[in-house]
Amino acid sequence: MDVSMTLWAVTILGLIALIAVDFLIGRKPHDVSIKEAGIWTVVWIVLAVLFGLGLLIFGTAQASGEFFAGFITEKSLSVDNLFVFVLIMAKFSVPSHLQQRVLLIGVLIALVLRAIFIAAGAAVIANFSWVFYIFGAFLIYTAWKLIQEARAEEEEEAYEENRLLKSIENRFGVADKYHGTKLFIRNNGKRVMTPLMVVMLAIGTTDVLFALDSIPAIFGLTQDPYIVFTANAFALMGLRQLYFLIGGLLKKLVHLSYGLSVILGFIGVKLVLHALHESGVHVPEISIPFSLTVICGVLVITTITSLIANKKTEQRAEAEAAEAAKADDKESVES
């Protein structure tokens, strides 16, 4: 898709305007209700759909299909990332009314980092087509790793601070409590970070690891930097509201990791086939409509099986509770 500098400028200005609106909505710290989160989640999804339809009308069907495939994939990976966000919030005991501010700044940091990675990825792909082999192999490895982690069934997870974050904390020092929305305070004449600043950095730096999966994945669906950037932007911009909307439901998506591993593995194979094709090897290439069908189908199946598994778990727990109650009643009667 041929994108002029004018269109790039208009798109970036439009995204900045949307970010400004989002910031104005969340400028005053408050507890986000399910209703508020639901309304704005729908708004962001509708905006993404309208953008995709705009690409269909004013661009090409292929560009529109690539956008929707990339958007759905990035959104799915973002939902999985929310698990880590929940762990970070719990690790630092972030007050509920400050969580939206943390997520807003975290998403802004993520957008900047993604833009840098996308620019670098596009430059590398333009000059070295063999990088598709590396991207494909990495995604297949990541898919295998996701399956291994899901099968490990670790009952308790905890967020561990990375070395960069620890070094920043040691350099500046951290206050012992939150001070509203302040990021730095004076403590005994020394300027130190507040826990709020640490949490924002934790979410922002953690997104670097997330980008290692998501950027190669979307480049496996499209090599158009414009579509890669906009799909990432729309997927991230509704993440804050989505956190509050499905935060309590995340634990019920027990098969999400399996679904994402299938999607990443599928895109990895697609990348390898594309690389072979670019090298002159006659192999079939996977089309965007087929990719979109596979991605959506896997997510639907994953959601259904997760709900079924949760229902069985709840029924088993209820049955065990009933048996325990009967045993207690029997003991009380006998005594």
Side-chain angles (χ1 to χ4, degrees), residues 144-154 254-258 261:
W144 175 81
K145 189 177 178 182
L146 270 177
I147 293 177
Q148 296 300 313
E149 291 175 353
R151 294 179 63 182
E153 297 181 351
E154 296 180 4
V254 293
H255 294 160
L256 180 61
S257 292
Y258 291 104
S261 67

Side-chain angles (χ1 to χ4, degrees), residues 218-281:
I218 195 169
F219 270 117
L221 298 169
T222 176
Q223 284 82 59
D224 190 325
Y226 182 76
I227 297 176
V228 172
F229 175 72
T230 51
N232 264 275
F234 278 105
L236 286 173
M237 289 177 68
L239 192 60
R240 180 170 66 90
Q241 290 82 3
L242 196 62
Y243 171 87
F244 295 104
L245 181 64
I246 68 172
L249 301 176
L250 285 175
K251 292 182 179 180
K252 293 187 177 182
L253 299 175
V254 293
H255 294 160
L256 180 61
S257 292
Y258 291 104
L260 290 177
S261 67
V262 172
I263 291 173
L264 291 178
F266 168 77
I267 297 175
V269 171
K270 183 178 184 300
L271 272 172
V272 172
L273 290 175
H274 178 73
L276 289 171
H277 187 268
E278 290 291 310
S279 300
V281 180

Side-chain angles (χ1 to χ4, degrees), residues 51-327:
F51 183 84
L53 292 176
L55 288 176
L56 177 62
I57 297 170
F58 299 104
T60 64
Q62 180 177 350
S64 179
E66 289 177 353
F67 171 80
F68 281 118
F71 171 73
I72 294 171
T73 300
E74 294 299 306
K75 200 71 173 178
S76 304
L77 291 169
S78 296
V79 170
D80 190 45
N81 297 345
L82 289 180
F83 283 105
V84 181
F85 289 174
V86 169
L87 294 176
I88 292 174
M89 295 291 190
K91 165 77 174 181
F92 294 99
S93 302
V94 182
S96 58
H97 67 283
L98 292 177
Q99 289 183 5
Q100 64 163 337
R101 178 63 62 86
V102 171
L103 291 170
L104 179 60
I105 303 301
V107 167
L108 288 175
I109 296 174
L111 279 171
V112 173
L113 291 174
R114 296 295 176 92
I116 295 172
F117 283 141
I118 290 168
V124 171
I125 288 172
N127 292 283
F128 308 102
S129 60
W130 50 261
V131 78
F132 286 117
Y133 288 110
I134 298 175
F135 280 2
F138 179 76
L139 288 179
I140 294 172
Y141 167 75
T142 303
W144 175 81
K145 189 177 178 182
L146 270 177
I147 293 177
Q148 296 300 313
E149 291 175 353
R151 294 179 63 182
E153 297 181 351
E154 296 180 4
E155 295 185 0
E156 294 186 6
E157 295 183 85
Y159 170 75
E160 293 293 335
E161 298 176 34
N162 55 56
R163 291 184 179 180
L164 174 61
L165 188 58
K166 287 181 178 179
S167 64
I168 293 174
E169 290 180 16
N170 293 332
R171 170 66 178 82
F172 291 96
V174 182
D176 58 355
K177 64 178 182 179
Y178 288 88
H179 293 264
T181 58
K182 292 182 179 179
L183 303 180
F184 290 91
I185 63 166
R186 287 284 177 182
N187 186 14
N188 295 326
K190 181 182 178 182
R191 193 166 182 259
V192 299
M193 296 189 301
T194 64
L196 185 64
M197 182 64 176
V198 177
V199 177
M200 289 179 178
L201 290 174
I203 287 181
T205 55
T206 300
D207 190 73
V208 175
L209 299 178
F210 295 159
L212 293 178
D213 297 339
S214 63
I215 299 302
I218 195 169
F219 270 117
L221 298 169
T222 176
Q223 284 82 59
D224 190 325
Y226 182 76
I227 297 176
V228 172
F229 175 72
T230 51
N232 264 275
F234 278 105
L236 286 173
M237 289 177 68
L239 192 60
R240 180 170 66 90
Q241 290 82 3
L242 196 62
Y243 171 87
F244 295 104
L245 181 64
I246 68 172
L249 301 176
L250 285 175
K251 292 182 179 180
K252 293 187 177 182
L253 299 175
V254 293
H255 294 160
L256 180 61
S257 292
Y258 291 104
L260 290 177
S261 67
V262 172
I263 291 173
L264 291 178
F266 168 77
I267 297 175
V269 171
K270 183 178 184 300
L271 272 172
V272 172
L273 290 175
H274 178 73
L276 289 171
H277 187 268
E278 290 291 310
S279 300
V281 180
H282 295 289
V283 293
E285 285 207 85
I286 300 173
S287 66
I288 287 299
F290 183 74
S291 299
L292 190 56
T293 302
V294 170
I295 292 168
C296 292
V298 169
L299 291 175
V300 169
I301 293 172
T302 298
T303 302
I304 293 173
T305 57
S306 292
L307 294 176
I308 293 173
N310 269 286
K311 187 175 182 180
K312 289 181 178 180
T313 301
E314 291 173 359
Q315 290 175 344
R316 192 182 306 115
E318 290 175 359
E320 291 175 354
E323 289 294 330
K326 287 181 181 179

